[in-house]
Amino acid sequence: MEPKPTALVNAAPPYGHVVCSEKWRTSSLLQGLKEAGLKVLFENELAVADFLLPNKVCLLYVSEGDMVAGNGFRRKLVRYRNASSSFQQLVLAERTRLSEQYFSALQKFVVLDLGLSLLPVGGQTEASQLITQIVHGEGRENPFRRRTSCRLLDSITLALVQQIPGVGKVRAVTLMQNFPSIQEISNASPAELEPLVGQASAQQIHSFFHAHLTPGN
């Protein structure tokens, strides 16, 4: 039986603060956040999420150890996706030499199956830099906050689209102008894709999503 969805804490921390799961207290990631000037608040009731940011973003961190250990972390990702939350849910995942062979499967599961955004990081130091950038770039209340947040999420989607076989940066931009989400790209037929990226790439993109969705993959 599937566990019931777990509610996330729905109150965003104030600007310049990060709410952090207790398990990160002694981590290098947390040290990086403190060195960047962020105030860290510890919370035992975050349920599945690892971090809550002031701009209504929550983060779940998947380490190379999680990936190497097997597929157990997938259940946690499903609970994270199903959690009742008004936050934008993002997944940070370590993409290292050790985890590289598992990363493609993780990316497909997070993006295609769960419909979440995934950001690759080289490790905890890079993750702390990314979190700091999001907090300082998005957290202030100002008239441009909504627009800035949209730019952040657009850049996330663009990075994901570029990793689809047959798609580079130029084609990714073209695709996003016509299909604003990865889900819409995955639902597009080769005939719809061909005018944008050419016949060969259209078939390659369609095959990528089709192969993933066939039984047994």
Side-chain angles (χ1 to χ4, degrees), residues 18-132:
V18 174
V19 176
C20 176
S21 174
E22 183 70 35
K23 70 179 183 181
W24 292 94
R25 184 179 287 272
T26 60
S27 66
S28 59
L29 194 161
L30 189 69
Q31 185 61 34
L33 296 180
K34 291 181 176 179
E35 290 175 355
L38 298 182
K39 304 295 185 183
V40 178
L41 307 173
F42 293 100
E43 175 60 63
N44 288 321
E45 303 298 326
L46 284 188
V48 189
D50 290 308
F51 304 95
L52 300 183
L53 310 186
N55 53 324
K56 304 278 296 186
V57 169
C58 61
L59 302 173
L60 177 67
Y61 194 93
V62 180
S63 69
E64 64 176 15
D66 294 329
M67 286 179 258
V68 172
N71 291 325
F73 67 90
R74 292 193 176 204
R75 291 190 292 272
K76 185 176 181 180
L77 284 165
V78 172
R79 293 199 306 273
Y80 179 62
R81 191 275 309 273
N82 292 342
S84 175
S85 174
S86 59
F87 283 62
Q88 171 68 36
Q89 294 170 301
L90 302 180
V91 177
L92 300 187
E94 290 184 358
R95 188 170 193 172
T96 65
R97 271 194 282 183
L98 184 60
S99 66
E100 182 65 35
Q101 61 181 309
Y102 309 99
F103 192 83
S104 178
L106 170 68
Q107 184 178 49
K108 290 176 183 178
F109 181 69
V110 170
V111 176
L112 302 184
D113 288 354
L114 301 183
L116 299 174
S117 295
L118 183 146
L119 299 175
V121 293
Q124 292 189 24
T125 298
E126 186 176 335
S128 68
Q129 294 169 350
L130 177 59
I131 293 173
T132 300

Side-chain angles (χ1 to χ4, degrees), residues 209-217:
F209 291 107
H210 179 73
H212 176 63
L213 295 175
T214 54
N217 285 339

